[in-house]
């Protein structure tokens, strides 16, 4: 768990519930000890500054490009994106998507939505959107896994997963399980390699 | 689709955890705050130290000012209404601010009752000096709690007192035998349901920030180690001699509160710039104190 700022303990609790061991990552040395990384919800401008100041941003890019599974929720999606519409905001450029920040509106428009996510099965997923971004453009190798109001809100490109909503605030663990499955597959792939 | 639910109202505060929320009085201040790594800004006409100095009645800020600050930054914008002034809160909700602070820093509009915050889609943050106050505000619908501290004083002692009082009371409830909970709810002036929930979980059901008197990076690190989940800085940044440096140093110290080498670096980065001047709270008269407003 990237733990510079945001809803870290909610993700840690969800991972623990799924039987995974997880801990807070604040420095490049912490990063060396993990197999995968979740970038939580939070404020993307604040966290990008902290990633740049600490050198942790560069380390995350290196590990992720080398195959480490990474999942960004809301802020994490923005941090992982290629770029942000209309803003000269730096990102880590780990998944080929362009995102629009606060796309569904300000806090008064934050909402709980029943979302169809075929990759997780038939039952809709109770998704919590908070000042959430949407995907404005995706590259050819990006699979959009869920849409809300015709806009991409969950996407995957190889070892990188992004959701604009917050599975960690609810009790449905299917997205966490989906990510852990990605981590297990990556583990097998790297052992084989 | 459901908006304004308890989950999304409390949820935004969860996204702000580990961060610093800064009082700003101009769009330029707001941009400096965002650039330094603030997770949100509080749009105000005057920072608490100036409200204190000017006296008179302090009200909700001008709409044009709040709007200009909302336009200047992409991070959430909070604004204050007077305690009990639900019409000011309605105006702020209509304006579309992201969080409303029903604040003792402004002159209270109602000396008995707070706003019914369940009636709003916009989430509220409220101040508390102890667990009883915190639970009463949560019962009224607050989605986030902060210590009151003594705003504009540059003196951390009140915030420490409030954070310790809240933390101690929670720990005590967490270990209390079940048969004591009804009597403890009576003593706290809070509902049995909430008291039972705190006793079970060992924490508040909403995010708890520190506010009031934070003036240095070490103040921020102190409050985080005392259990605050984030920091409000009022006068501490824009009453200092070098707001940009203070803003960044307080953000760094908040993120890395338990790594003294980084807090040292944050302190060192201030060079010879001075923190805001401080007040001895014991020298203030009862009428000058803000924390006892709205219990």
């Amino acid at each position: 768990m990237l733990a510079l700022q945001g809803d870290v303990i909610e993700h840690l609790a969800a991972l623990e519930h799924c039987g995974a061991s997880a801990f807070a990552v604040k420095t490049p040395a912490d990063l060396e000890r993990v197999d995968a990384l979740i970038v939580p919800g939070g404020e993307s401008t604040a966290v990008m500054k902290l990633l740049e100041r600490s050198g942790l941003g560069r380390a995350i890019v290196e590990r992720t490009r080398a195959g480490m599974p990474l999942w960004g929720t809301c802020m994490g999606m923005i941090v992982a994106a290629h770029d942000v519409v209309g803003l000269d905001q730096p990102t880590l450029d780990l998944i080929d998507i362009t995102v629009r920040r606060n796309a569904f509106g300000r806090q008064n428009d934050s909402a709980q939505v029943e979302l169809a996510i075929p990759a997780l099965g038939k039952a809709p997923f109770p998704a919590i959107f908070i000042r959430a971004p949407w995907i404005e453009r995706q590259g050819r190798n990006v699979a959009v896994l869920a849409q809300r109001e015709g806009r991409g809100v969950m996407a995957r490109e190889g070892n990188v997963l992004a959701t604009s909503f917050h599975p960690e605030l609810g009790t449905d663990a299917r997205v966490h399980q989906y990510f852990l499955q990605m981590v297990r597959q990556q583990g097998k792939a790297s052992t084989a390699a | 689709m459901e908006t304004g639910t308890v989950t999304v109202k409390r949820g935004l505060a969860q996204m702000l955890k580990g961060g610093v929320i800064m009082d700003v009085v101009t769009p330029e201040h707001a941009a400096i705050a965002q650039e330094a790594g603030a997770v949100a800004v509080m749009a105000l006409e005057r920072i608490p130290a100036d409200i204190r100095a000017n006296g008179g009645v302090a009200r909700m800020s001008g709409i044009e000012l709040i709007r200009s600050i909302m336009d200047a930054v992409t991070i959430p914008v909070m604004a204050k209404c007077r305690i009990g002034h639900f019409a000011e809160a309605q105006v702020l909700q209509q304006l579309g601010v992201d969080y409303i602070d029903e604040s003792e820093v402004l002159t209270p509009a109602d000396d008995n009752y707070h706003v019914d915050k369940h009636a709003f889609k916009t989430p509220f943050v409220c101040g508390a000096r102890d667990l009883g106050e915190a639970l009463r505000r949560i019962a009224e619908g607050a989605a986030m709690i902060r210590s009151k501290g003594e705003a504009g004083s540059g003196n951390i002692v009140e915030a420490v007192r409030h954070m310790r009082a809240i933390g101690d009371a929670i720990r005590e409830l967490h270990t209390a035998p079940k048969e004591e909970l009804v009597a403890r709810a009576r003593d706290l002036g809070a509902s049995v349901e909430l008291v039972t929930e705190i006793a079970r979980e060992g924490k508040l059901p909403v995010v708890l920030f520190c506010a009031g008197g934070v003036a240095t990076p070490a103040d921020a690190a102190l409050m985080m180690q005392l259990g605050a989940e984030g920091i409000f800085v009022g006068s501490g940044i824009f009453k200092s001699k070098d707001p940009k440096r203070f803003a960044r140093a307080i953000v760094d110290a908040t993120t890395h509160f338990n790594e003294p080498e980084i807090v040292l670096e944050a302190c060192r980065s201030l060079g010879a710039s001075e923190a805001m001047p401080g007040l001895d709270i014991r020298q203030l008269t009862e009428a000058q104190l803000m924390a006892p407003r709205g219990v």
Side-chain angles (χ1 to χ4, degrees):
Chain A
M1 280 305 315
L2 182 69
L4 294 173
Q5 187 272 314
D7 68 333
V8 176
I9 54 174
E10 292 80 354
H11 267 295
L12 290 174
L15 289 169
E16 193 180 325
H17 173 78
C18 293
S21 69
F23 60 90
V25 170
K26 282 192 170 188
T27 65
D30 294 336
L31 186 69
E32 287 174 20
R33 297 168 51 212
V34 300
D35 298 320
L37 187 70
I38 296 178
V39 182
E43 279 306 316
S44 58
T45 47
V47 165
M48 277 309 301
K49 309 260 177 242
L50 294 164
L51 284 172
E52 284 171 5
R53 284 177 211 167
S54 64
L56 184 53
R58 182 187 298 269
I60 291 171
V61 170
E62 280 172 15
R63 284 285 314 271
T64 309
R65 296 221 165 118
M68 175 184 73
L70 179 136
W71 171 24
T73 57
C74 193
M75 166 196 91
M77 172 189 263
I78 298 164
V79 166
H82 175 69
D83 60 344
V84 182
V85 179
L87 292 173
D88 183 24
Q89 180 177 337
T91 61
L92 297 183
D93 189 12
L94 299 170
I95 178 168
D96 188 15
I97 56 175
T98 299
V99 297
R100 181 180 291 277
R101 282 188 58 194
N102 305 332
F104 293 100
R106 302 187 74 101
Q107 173 62 16
N108 287 346
D109 302 302
S110 291
Q112 294 179 254
V113 179
E114 294 290 314
L115 206 61
I117 309 179
L120 300 182
K122 273 203 185 128
F125 188 86
I128 298 160
F129 290 86
I130 295 178
R131 288 171 47 95
W134 70 38
I135 299 168
E136 189 106 348
R137 175 204 66 82
Q138 69 271 358
R140 209 179 313 164
N141 299 321
V142 174
V144 173
L145 302 177
Q147 290 192 331
R148 173 186 164 195
E149 296 162 34
R151 302 289 187 166
V153 293
M154 177 174 182
R156 178 177 175 183
E157 182 179 24
N159 57 324
V160 180
L161 179 69
T163 57
S164 61
F165 50 94
H166 295 280
E168 74 281 9
L169 295 185
T171 52
D172 190 326
R174 283 180 291 161
V175 184
H176 284 86
Q177 281 156 357
Y178 179 89
F179 181 64
L180 291 171
Q181 186 60 30
M182 283 172 59
V183 178
R184 279 190 290 271
Q185 280 165 353
Q186 183 62 32
K188 276 184 206 153
S190 56
T191 311
Chain B
M1 184 176 97
E2 267 191 295
T3 56
T5 62
V6 169
T7 302
V8 300
K9 292 197 312 192
R10 291 179 178 178
L12 178 55
Q14 287 170 280
M15 300 311 141
L16 304 178
K17 283 193 293 181
V20 181
I21 300 168
M22 301 182 190
D23 280 0
V24 298
V25 299
T26 65
E28 293 72 32
H29 278 181
I32 291 172
Q34 176 167 277
E35 178 59 30
V39 292
V41 290
M42 179 75 69
L44 277 171
E45 229 149 47
R46 281 176 283 163
I47 53 177
D50 291 336
I51 291 176
R52 210 172 258 299
N54 290 11
V57 173
R59 311 180 181 95
M60 174 180 77
S61 297
I63 295 308
E64 220 162 291
L65 173 78
I66 301 172
R67 184 74 243 178
S68 67
I69 289 170
M70 289 165 68
D71 291 339
V73 292
T74 56
I75 55 180
V77 175
M78 302 183 167
K80 289 184 193 289
C81 74
R82 285 177 264 177
I83 289 175
H85 206 315
F86 51 84
E88 281 186 350
Q90 288 162 354
V91 169
L92 292 174
Q93 169 166 273
Q94 196 60 36
L95 179 61
V97 301
D98 296 293
Y99 240 92
I100 299 170
D101 184 1
E102 186 182 17
S103 176
E104 71 284 0
V105 170
L106 304 183
T107 310
D110 190 321
D111 48 14
N112 284 311
Y113 303 109
H114 283 70
V115 173
D116 168 23
K117 294 165 274 285
H118 293 292
F120 288 79
K121 188 187 266 194
T122 309
F124 278 73
V125 54
C126 287
R129 291 178 300 173
D130 54 41
L131 185 59
E133 277 187 36
L135 295 186
R136 287 192 290 280
R137 299 297 86 78
I138 292 168
E140 293 156 2
M144 178 181 189
I145 294 292
R146 55 172 176 76
S147 64
K148 284 179 169 171
E150 189 57 41
S153 69
N155 189 337
I156 200 68
V157 67
E158 283 296 310
V160 168
R161 197 173 287 151
H162 302 167
M163 285 301 302
R164 281 201 185 276
I166 293 169
D168 288 348
I170 290 173
R171 282 184 288 276
E172 212 180 303
L173 271 187
H174 195 40
T175 54
K178 207 169 160 212
E179 68 272 17
E180 293 184 9
L181 295 182
V182 171
R184 284 178 184 266
R186 176 199 63 204
D187 296 343
L188 286 165
S191 78
V192 177
E193 287 78 9
L194 264 176
V195 166
T196 308
E197 183 182 348
I198 308 292
R200 187 179 62 235
E201 302 295 330
K203 62 191 274 302
L204 291 181
V206 301
V207 167
L208 172 64
F209 267 49
C210 161
V214 174
T216 69
D219 286 346
L222 172 69
M223 298 316 298
M224 292 297 285
Q225 290 182 61
L226 285 176
E229 294 179 283
I231 304 285
F232 281 90
V233 190
S235 319
I237 290 171
F238 291 102
K239 273 286 160 188
S240 74
K241 296 281 190 254
D242 190 339
K244 274 185 196 173
R245 284 198 203 183
F246 266 82
R248 185 174 156 160
I250 290 176
V251 168
D252 284 343
T254 302
T255 308
H256 300 284
F257 63 90
N258 51 8
E259 295 159 273
E261 65 278 13
I262 297 182
V263 180
L264 165 64
E265 209 42 58
C267 296
R268 206 198 302 272
S269 74
L270 300 175
S273 342
E274 281 173 39
M276 69 177 287
L279 295 173
D280 183 344
I281 288 162
R282 291 169 306 179
Q283 307 291 320
L284 300 177
T285 66
E286 208 163 311
Q288 290 172 308
L289 291 172
M290 292 174 174
R293 294 169 172 177
V295 298

